[in-house]
Amino acid sequence: MKIDELTVAAEDLTQGQWFWHEPAPGLRSWQLQVATAEVQDDAVCIMTTDEVRELVSYSRDRRVRLAS
């Protein structure tokens, strides 16, 4: 299975999708679910269903690993 099959550009995340949030390369990651995603000029602000990590922001083209 290719890595591209497991990842999407951050701007392509949609409501209800689960993804792995990795704050920085090498740091522990955890699963979050998209509540809403707002594409801005150069970033995507993702409101999640998580009470602790409600909002994450990525560059639009950052590859995000999907969770199954």
Side-chain angles (χ1 to χ4, degrees):
M1 189 177 291
K2 293 181 182 178
I3 193 84
D4 288 342
E5 293 175 10
L6 301 173
T7 65
V8 297
E11 67 183 353
D12 293 331
L13 286 170
T14 59
Q15 182 178 15
Q17 275 188 312
W18 285 88
F19 66 98
W20 286 96
H21 171 62
E22 184 179 20
L27 292 181
R28 183 176 87 78
S29 59
W30 56 92
Q31 291 184 20
L32 294 175
Q33 185 179 33
V34 178
T36 62
E38 180 182 334
V39 177
Q40 300 174 343
D41 291 336
D42 59 351
V44 179
C45 291
I46 302 162
M47 183 64 70
T48 74
T49 58
D50 191 276
E51 293 178 5
V52 175
R53 299 212 170 24
E54 286 185 293
L55 180 66
V56 294
S57 181
Y58 298 132
S59 65
R60 290 178 63 175
D61 61 351
R62 176 176 170 167
R63 301 302 294 178
V64 179
R65 188 167 46 116
L66 297 178
S68 45

